[in-house]
Amino acid sequence: MAVSLRDARTIIEKALEKGRALDLNPLSVVVLDAGGHVQAFEREDGAAPGRFSIAHGKAYGAVMLGMAGSAQMARAEAQGYFMAAVNGVFGGQVIPVPGGVLVRDDAGVVIGAVGVTGDTSDNDAIAALFGIEAAGLAGEI
Amino acid sequence: MAVSLRDARTIIEKALEKGRALDLNPLSVVVLDAGGHVQAFEREDGAAPGRFSIAHGKAYGAVMLGMAGSAQMARAEAQGYFMAAVNGVFGGQVIPVPGGVLVRDDAGVVIGAVGVTGDTSDNDAIAALFGIEAAGLAGEI
Amino acid sequence: MAVSLRDARTIIEKALEKGRALDLNPLSVVVLDAGGHVQAFEREDGAAPGRFSIAHGKAYGAVMLGMAGSAQMARAEAQGYFMAAVNGVFGGQVIPVPGGVLVRDDAGVVIGAVGVTGDTSDNDAIAALFGIEAAGLAGEI
Amino acid sequence: MAVSLRDARTIIEKALEKGRALDLNPLSVVVLDAGGHVQAFEREDGAAPGRFSIAHGKAYGAVMLGMAGSAQMARAEAQGYFMAAVNGVFGGQVIPVPGGVLVRDDAGVVIGAVGVTGDTSDNDAIAALFGIEAAGLAGEI
């Protein structure tokens, strides 16, 4: 099972909808597949130009390590040099904070990840999770 | 003037629609802003995982150099080492072939670029241009 | 709206003038556009050779994140591994301290950033802000 | 002897003036010191956002190799793999075409280089040389 483009569209549309409902800052949302490759992305008007890279970094770390953003943050706070070393092997492409949310299928297999950025890390994660669940999938923040 | 997220969505939707109408291979479409930063992207189901990077490279070179994909290809064929060197200064992020289409406003100012990949370069460019014009903008292939 | 070359020249001239008036060390001043691309730069005689990269890093982080240098520094002090990870996704090009000053238009939209380096970070920011305001624009330090 | 900021300003001002007199496309002009470090830069309104990198690459190769752009181009055409290898050791930062102009002092010592981009390589070199000579220095195109 994979995140289809149809699923990715729903995730992005609903994550952005949640951002508007909560009156968050302009959000950027990326959906990656099970290999960590970009499926779809949208950046709201008014978001800073570099937001693709931040959203991507959150989701990419989640897929590549099989660890959601919250778990990565806990590890970074407990053992900073480990996450720095992880970033070394992944070319600096990992942003280890909430807003990187794993997507799992019914069997619990990771089929992708969503990265949201623009507001606080916790709000970013709320928007991502809302989108994932709206697509009928299970998210791990 | 800038490519809004609304415009970007139209461009992607219509470029993919054109791909289906022409029975092209699965397409991937990226829209970049005037600074070469990602606004929106979609990869159709069945497209290879690396297609974001190809689509991005076509559009990125177009924005950064102010040259559409066809002009970049002509330069690459006439003076290959020049385009290789250009790729050096841009971190290897430039794909100098058709399918990287400049988007201009009414005054002719470049406000972004669209990158399409998946079929032949010429078909990619046709799909990109169709999307751009459907959004009421002018494209240069 | 964009920072024109004329604006950029005024910003640099006046920032350097402020540096001389306050008897600061030799300054270097860069002006970036809304996409984080270099518009203009000057390095005063006597400044160290690497000052372009420092000035650029201050302004680049400000544009790409939509956060001025002071806000970046606060985040770096609160959550150092986050700003380190941010630097990873931006190729190590972000210097998160004061002296990276956002430039906004009348509607509050970020239209570029100025990076100043050579003296203390706080004095660098004062010089940058002076230049921005002399050009009739609003700065956020 | 070194290229002072005053000299660099004259070089840029006069190179741009020449571009306007010859009705060239919008130009970008960088001045590097004898160590290959940026002294000053200006990008005219309407130039593509990536022009700093191209101008820099022309001037950087000239300083680092002690070879002007024309000589680099001749070498690239005669022995392409050599200039490709050169780009390897210099991190891809060399653009080996005219428009990278060496600046020499009275004794013939290289004290910097000017990089111009925006029009044809030959016109870029003409504008650079005009600026260098207007500053009372000798250029080698």
Side-chain angles (χ1 to χ4, degrees):
Chain A
M1 190 182 158
V3 177
S4 65
L5 178 54
R6 174 190 293 262
D7 290 337
R9 282 175 181 152
T10 302
I11 292 170
I12 291 174
E13 181 190 337
K14 294 298 176 181
L16 294 181
E17 220 173 274
K18 189 67 173 178
R20 286 320 101 235
L22 298 178
D23 200 25
L24 307 185
N25 290 330
L27 297 181
S28 301
V29 185
V30 73
V31 180
L32 304 187
D33 67 17
H37 302 291
V38 190
Q39 193 84 47
F41 172 78
E42 286 192 1
R43 170 163 58 104
E44 286 191 302
D45 297 334
R51 290 292 166 183
F52 171 78
S53 299
I54 306 291
H56 181 271
K58 289 184 178 188
Y60 185 71
V63 170
M64 296 309 280
L65 297 166
M67 286 171 69
S70 301
Q72 290 179 64
M73 184 169 77
R75 187 72 185 262
E77 288 177 349
Q79 204 178 10
Y81 65 85
F82 175 77
M83 286 307 296
V86 161
N87 242 330
V89 298
F90 291 117
Q93 295 302 304
V94 174
I95 303 275
V97 296
V101 180
L102 285 172
V103 182
R104 296 187 184 275
D105 68 12
D106 294 343
V109 176
V110 174
I111 58 171
V114 176
V116 175
T117 185
D119 207 273
T120 66
S121 293
D122 287 341
N123 283 339
D124 294 342
I126 288 169
L129 189 61
F130 185 83
I132 293 165
E133 292 179 347
L137 298 164
E140 179 185 334
I141 62 171
Chain B
M1 191 181 158
V3 177
S4 64
L5 177 54
R6 176 189 291 260
D7 290 336
R9 281 176 181 150
T10 302
I11 291 169
I12 292 175
E13 181 190 339
K14 294 299 176 179
L16 295 180
E17 221 174 275
K18 189 68 174 179
R20 285 322 99 235
L22 297 177
D23 200 25
L24 306 185
N25 290 330
L27 297 181
S28 301
V29 185
V30 75
V31 180
L32 304 187
D33 67 18
H37 302 292
V38 188
Q39 194 85 49
F41 172 78
E42 286 191 5
R43 171 162 59 102
E44 287 191 304
D45 297 334
R51 289 292 169 182
F52 171 78
S53 299
I54 307 292
H56 180 269
K58 289 185 179 189
Y60 185 70
V63 170
M64 294 308 279
L65 297 167
M67 288 172 68
S70 301
Q72 289 179 64
M73 186 169 75
R75 185 74 185 259
E77 288 178 347
Q79 202 179 9
Y81 66 85
F82 175 76
M83 286 307 296
V86 162
N87 238 328
V89 296
F90 291 119
Q93 295 302 303
V94 174
I95 304 276
V97 297
V101 180
L102 286 173
V103 182
R104 296 188 185 274
D105 68 12
D106 294 343
V109 176
V110 174
I111 58 171
V114 176
V116 175
T117 184
D119 208 272
T120 66
S121 293
D122 287 341
N123 284 339
D124 294 341
I126 287 168
L129 190 61
F130 184 82
I132 292 165
E133 292 178 348
L137 297 164
E140 179 184 334
I141 62 171
Chain C
M1 190 180 159
V3 177
S4 64
L5 177 54
R6 176 191 292 260
D7 291 337
R9 282 175 180 152
T10 300
I11 291 169
I12 292 175
E13 180 190 339
K14 294 298 177 181
L16 295 181
E17 220 173 276
K18 190 67 174 180
R20 286 321 100 235
L22 297 178
D23 200 25
L24 305 185
N25 291 330
L27 297 181
S28 300
V29 185
V30 75
V31 180
L32 304 187
D33 67 18
H37 303 292
V38 190
Q39 195 84 47
F41 172 76
E42 287 192 0
R43 170 164 58 104
E44 287 191 302
D45 297 334
R51 289 292 169 180
F52 171 79
S53 300
I54 307 292
H56 181 270
K58 290 185 179 188
Y60 185 70
V63 170
M64 294 307 281
L65 297 166
M67 287 171 69
S70 301
Q72 289 180 64
M73 186 169 76
R75 185 72 183 261
E77 289 178 347
Q79 203 179 10
Y81 66 86
F82 175 76
M83 285 307 297
V86 162
N87 238 329
V89 297
F90 292 118
Q93 295 300 304
V94 174
I95 305 275
V97 296
V101 180
L102 286 172
V103 182
R104 296 187 186 274
D105 67 11
D106 294 342
V109 176
V110 174
I111 57 170
V114 175
V116 175
T117 183
D119 207 273
T120 65
S121 293
D122 288 340
N123 283 338
D124 293 343
I126 288 169
L129 190 61
F130 185 82
I132 293 166
E133 293 179 347
L137 298 164
E140 179 184 333
I141 62 171
Chain D
M1 192 182 157
V3 177
S4 65
L5 177 55
R6 175 190 293 261
D7 290 337
R9 282 177 181 150
T10 300
I11 291 169
I12 291 174
E13 181 190 337
K14 293 299 175 178
L16 295 181
E17 220 174 274
K18 189 68 173 176
R20 284 321 102 234
L22 297 178
D23 200 26
L24 306 185
N25 290 331
L27 298 181
S28 301
V29 185
V30 74
V31 180
L32 304 187
D33 67 16
H37 303 291
V38 189
Q39 193 84 46
F41 172 78
E42 287 192 4
R43 171 164 57 105
E44 287 192 302
D45 297 335
R51 290 292 166 181
F52 172 79
S53 298
I54 306 292
H56 181 270
K58 290 185 178 188
Y60 186 71
V63 169
M64 296 310 279
L65 298 167
M67 286 172 68
S70 301
Q72 289 179 64
M73 184 170 77
R75 186 72 184 262
E77 288 177 350
Q79 201 179 11
Y81 65 86
F82 175 76
M83 286 307 296
V86 161
N87 242 329
V89 296
F90 291 117
Q93 294 303 302
V94 174
I95 304 276
V97 296
V101 180
L102 286 172
V103 181
R104 296 188 185 274
D105 67 11
D106 294 343
V109 176
V110 173
I111 57 171
V114 176
V116 175
T117 184
D119 207 90
T120 66
S121 294
D122 288 342
N123 284 338
D124 294 341
I126 287 169
L129 190 61
F130 185 82
I132 292 166
E133 292 179 346
L137 297 164
E140 179 184 333
I141 62 170

